Amino acid sequence: MDVRLARNEDADAITEQWLDLASSQRVYGSHVLADENRSMARQSVLRHIVANELLVAVDGPDYLGFVMFTVEASDYAQDTTRGLIRNIYVAPEHRSNGVGTSLLEAAESRLTDRGVDRLVLEVMADNEPARRFYRRHGYSRHRISLEKPTENDTL
């Protein structure tokens, strides 16, 4: 397995994996639609490739997974510089083989090299397998998002 910066010729394969990620997160309560966001996903993939903020795990011609990351930009002065892990995906047939760990560690290393002193990511609250994975890698809760439907008994 090789973890490397993604290239333009990887965009189609990574976009398909992004769509798989979006689809798979629906069972955990994600509101993101996969096919309806195909064009936007491809644009995001290409922007991250150009910015050197997308790593891909490959084994020969096979795409095992990817991770998108960036240094957080904020309008507010802060006492920390945060690196954001935006998306991480491992193809189901390659899970539990160290691919996710390799992608996460490579993204963390690149962000650290860019001067961040905190790493942050989001995970669906109901996605317990992903939450366990991130806890094993030292991530803990920092902020919690709450939501409710507009059609409920409190409105």
Side-chain angles (χ1 to χ4, degrees):
M1 174 185 62
D2 183 35
V3 174
R4 62 167 171 77
L5 282 170
R7 302 184 283 252
N8 286 339
E9 58 266 24
D10 301 320
D12 290 338
I14 295 169
T15 299
E16 290 305 314
Q17 287 192 332
W18 187 98
L19 295 171
D20 287 344
L21 173 63
S23 292
S24 69
Q25 293 303 295
R26 301 280 294 170
V27 300
Y28 299 114
S30 173
H31 303 302
V32 177
L33 302 172
D35 287 330
E36 293 84 346
N37 285 299
R38 179 180 296 276
S39 176
M40 184 69 77
R42 187 166 178 12
Q43 289 174 23
S44 177
V45 165
L46 288 169
R47 278 193 310 274
H48 280 83
I49 288 172
V50 168
N52 290 327
E53 295 177 338
L54 199 157
L55 297 169
V56 63
V58 294
D59 186 10
D62 297 326
Y63 288 84
L64 312 181
F66 73 90
V67 61
M68 296 172 152
F69 57 94
T70 192
V71 176
E72 182 180 54
S74 177
D75 294 333
Y76 298 101
Q78 297 187 28
D79 63 357
T80 191
T81 302
R82 296 181 348 153
L84 307 177
I85 307 291
R86 291 238 165 114
N87 293 295
I88 186 168
Y89 175 81
V90 175
E93 63 273 20
H94 298 290
R95 293 181 185 158
S96 299
N97 294 327
V99 177
T101 295
S102 294
L103 285 165
L104 183 61
E105 288 174 353
E108 290 172 343
S109 176
R110 287 185 178 266
L111 288 165
T112 301
D113 290 347
R114 292 182 184 183
V116 306
D117 46 29
R118 293 269 188 215
L119 298 162
V120 64
L121 53 80
E122 290 185 355
V123 62
M124 297 303 299
D126 290 340
N127 190 343
E128 188 55 38
R131 291 175 61 196
R132 273 193 310 271
F133 171 78
Y134 294 125
R135 279 193 301 269
R136 281 195 312 269
H137 291 280
Y139 288 83
S140 60
R141 284 189 279 165
H142 171 69
R143 179 179 287 181
I144 298 173
S145 295
L146 305 173
E147 76 171 31
K148 72 176 185 176
T150 55
E151 296 179 11
N152 67 49
D153 60 356
T154 63
L155 289 178

